[in-house]
Amino acid sequence: MNFDLPAPLVAHLDSVDKFIHSTILPLQHSEDNNRFFDHRREYARTDWVKGGLPSPEWEDLLSQARRLADEAGFFRFALPKIYGGQGHPDTNLWMSATRFHMASHPTYGGGLGLANDLQNEHSIVGNFPDILMLHHFGTEEQKLNLIPARLHGEFRTTFGLTEPDHGSDATFMSTTATRVPGGFKISGAKKWQTGAHHCTHMIIFARTSGPDGSAKGITAFLVPRETEGVEIASYEWTLNMPTDHATVTLNEVWVPESAVLGVIDQGLAIAQTFVHENRIRQAASSCGAAKFCLERAIERARNRTIWGEGKKLADHQAVQFPVVELMTQVEMLRLLILKTSCDMDRVVAEATDKPWIAIERRLSDKVAMCNFWANRLCCQAADQAIQIHGGDGYSRHYPFEHIYRHFRRYRITEGAEEIQIRKVAAYLFGFKGKAGREKAKTKL
């Protein structure tokens, strides 16, 4: 067995590095753009006058970087060829390796930099779950109109699954859609609608039939932001600012039949289409950021002299041992992430239809293992880096407090770690979820 990355993948990562150093880093260092990444980052990124939303200058800079990456051929890598992507047969492996590489890089790593600033899910190598949902479930008209608009920044959508009173189990939701002449009327509320401040549409999941707890009977709708009855109730301030996470209310919002995305009453399948790809890529980023924190901590410990003793901080086992334990976890987890990514690519190649279902059945436990452990590990590594850096680590002049505050969210989003641990337990112990759903396979 060869655990080395394939030579073409290594060459691809090298080309990514060259592009970042030749094009993205000069942009980051030009004018006063470093204010978005140094100790001023939270204030520079946040429009405090407008309720904590991202500042226009910050979002303009991210758009510039994405445009440059698109022109260079990197941005659309993970997309099918029909949309300008590579259509690579090993997309999951290549994306996981790329995410790990970019988050762990000593120059621009940690998920804090213009090449790969993960607070905004921003990267010069895009993810595009919304495009793949449209690709797999959209009508021909939706695909023809919305996917090109998305790639040009003219179509932007939120993902309306979570509600104020309902989170991890998406089979319970209070938002309903009632059929009326010509379409549906939607009423309810959604929370944590990321990007609501500049979206053109919202993907709203609502119950159209069936009882609470049933996976069947939920439908996805493409709702234009300016539709009458759609209101932004608030933007929730978070541990890491700025915020673009809105609570949205829907009061008898009428949409036509053409607003349905996918099949009526089968909307949860849309939510599950890209969940495993998202989770494995997030795991790779978290694992990479953990490595970044630990390597910076090691560098600090080797260079920091304790004057009373004349020794380096690294000479003490109290410093060495926790770093060794965490770095061991990083190395083991990196291999599990890459192996799981390879397995996902094999399952996709073998599947004749709806590969996400095959991934759910065969690899969902491994994806959950990677994701919940990586997100927890990143927080532990950032905390240890803060401790080793002492007062400097606690300051905003170093990246660790930002990394901790950002990656802490992933222990909740993309499926809370308790839900993912339960998913693994379902596979290990063979128990059944609510309504007899074998091995909790419909849990998100």
Side-chain angles (χ1 to χ4, degrees):
M1 297 176 68
N2 185 356
F3 293 96
D4 294 334
L5 295 180
L9 175 50
V10 174
H12 172 72
L13 296 178
D14 183 57
S15 67
V16 168
D17 280 343
K18 288 179 179 176
F19 169 70
I20 290 171
H21 281 91
S22 67
T23 305
I24 300 300
L25 287 180
L27 176 59
Q28 177 177 325
H29 298 320
S30 67
E31 300 180 355
D32 192 26
N33 288 336
N34 273 321
R35 73 188 188 276
F36 297 114
F37 306 99
D38 62 20
H39 63 281
R40 302 167 290 174
R41 54 188 169 259
E42 191 165 49
Y43 276 82
R45 295 176 179 199
T46 307
D47 190 335
W48 302 101
V49 175
K50 292 187 177 180
L53 290 172
S55 67
E57 298 83 5
W58 167 231
E59 295 195 312
D60 286 346
L61 181 61
L62 297 179
S63 295
Q64 273 186 272
R66 288 191 293 266
R67 185 168 59 253
L68 290 169
D70 201 14
E71 291 171 357
F74 292 104
F75 189 51
R76 306 188 194 188
F77 171 83
L79 287 176
K81 286 185 178 180
I82 190 174
Y83 306 125
Q86 297 290 319
H88 200 285
D90 297 323
T91 293
N92 287 299
L93 172 62
W94 282 51
M95 284 295 287
S96 290
T98 300
R99 292 293 172 122
F100 178 88
H101 176 79
M102 296 180 74
S104 63
H105 198 283
T107 303
Y108 53 81
L112 178 60
L114 185 54
N116 193 52
D117 196 278
L118 297 174
Q119 182 186 5
N120 301 72
E121 306 295 345
H122 161 83
S123 177
I124 61 165
V125 183
N127 214 26
F128 306 111
D130 49 352
I131 289 181
L132 293 182
M133 291 176 193
L134 287 166
H135 173 65
H136 289 297
F137 293 95
T139 64
E140 290 304 315
E141 182 179 0
Q142 288 170 342
K143 288 188 280 190
L144 182 65
N145 294 329
L146 298 181
I147 291 179
R150 165 67 172 87
L151 291 170
H152 290 96
E154 298 161 0
F155 169 78
R156 300 175 298 277
T157 185
T158 66
F159 187 75
L161 197 62
T162 301
E163 299 184 346
D165 297 320
H166 303 288
S168 295
D169 191 343
T171 63
F172 287 84
M173 64 175 57
S174 300
T175 302
T176 60
T178 305
R179 189 180 288 277
V180 295
F184 294 83
K185 277 194 174 180
I186 307 172
S187 292
K190 296 294 177 180
K191 195 169 185 177
W192 306 114
Q193 296 302 282
T194 302
H197 68 298
H198 67 182
C199 71
T200 61
H201 290 71
M202 298 177 177
I203 299 177
I204 299 294
F205 292 83
R207 183 161 291 284
T208 44
S209 68
D212 285 342
S214 172
K216 186 177 180 181
I218 294 172
T219 303
F221 298 90
L222 283 165
V223 181
R225 164 65 183 89
E226 300 305 321
T227 305
E228 184 178 357
V230 176
E231 299 292 340
I232 304 293
S234 61
Y235 285 99
E236 314 308 324
W237 285 38
T238 59
L239 187 65
N240 217 14
M241 295 291 280
T243 178
D244 59 351
H245 313 295
T247 295
V248 178
T249 60
L250 304 105
N251 183 20
E252 294 193 338
V253 174
W254 182 83
V255 292
E257 294 271 358
S258 59
V260 172
L261 178 60
V263 179
I264 293 174
D265 289 341
Q266 302 294 331
L268 274 190
I270 297 172
Q272 291 178 310
T273 305
F274 200 64
V275 68
H276 298 97
E277 285 86 349
N278 264 353
R279 286 177 179 172
I280 200 69
R281 293 172 192 179
Q282 180 53 52
S285 292
S286 294
C287 189
K291 185 172 187 284
F292 171 85
C293 290
L294 294 171
E295 288 183 338
R296 294 288 295 273
I298 292 168
E299 179 183 11
R300 172 76 168 201
R302 294 178 67 182
N303 293 327
R304 183 76 167 183
T305 300
I306 302 173
W307 295 110
E309 301 178 12
K311 294 182 177 181
K312 299 295 184 181
L313 196 60
D315 293 333
H316 292 267
Q317 291 178 342
V319 172
Q320 299 167 7
F321 283 16
V323 172
V324 168
E325 290 186 8
L326 291 170
M327 191 64 88
T328 300
Q329 293 180 48
V330 166
E331 289 303 313
M332 292 189 296
L333 182 60
R334 180 182 68 87
L335 291 174
L336 180 60
I337 290 169
L338 294 176
K339 178 186 182 300
T340 303
S341 300
C342 286
D343 290 343
M344 290 171 68
D345 288 326
R346 278 196 288 269
V347 169
V348 171
E350 294 169 1
T352 57
D353 185 36
K354 300 179 180 178
W356 56 90
I357 295 178
I359 291 174
E360 168 70 25
R361 289 173 177 166
R362 295 169 58 180
L363 294 170
S364 186
D365 59 329
K366 297 299 188 298
V367 174
M369 286 179 183
C370 293
N371 189 267
F372 92 80
W373 197 259
N375 298 332
R376 185 187 294 180
L377 178 60
C378 185
C379 292
Q380 293 172 339
D383 184 73
Q384 190 63 42
I386 290 171
Q387 192 71 18
I388 289 175
H389 281 76
D392 288 340
Y394 186 69
S395 78
R396 298 193 180 193
H397 294 269
Y398 286 74
F400 311 116
E401 59 83 32
H402 177 95
I403 291 171
Y404 178 88
R405 287 188 292 127
H406 168 67
F407 283 91
R408 182 60 181 83
R409 69 183 276 196
Y410 292 114
R411 295 178 64 187
I412 301 169
T413 62
E414 285 293 336
E417 64 179 39
E418 293 84 359
I419 295 297
Q420 297 197 61
I421 291 170
R422 184 180 184 277
K423 168 87 73 173
V424 177
Y427 276 75
L428 293 178
F429 295 97
F431 65 79
K432 295 182 178 181
K434 293 178 182 177
R437 288 170 291 178
E438 184 182 359
K439 296 184 180 179
K441 287 177 181 175
T442 60
K443 292 289 185 182
L444 294 178

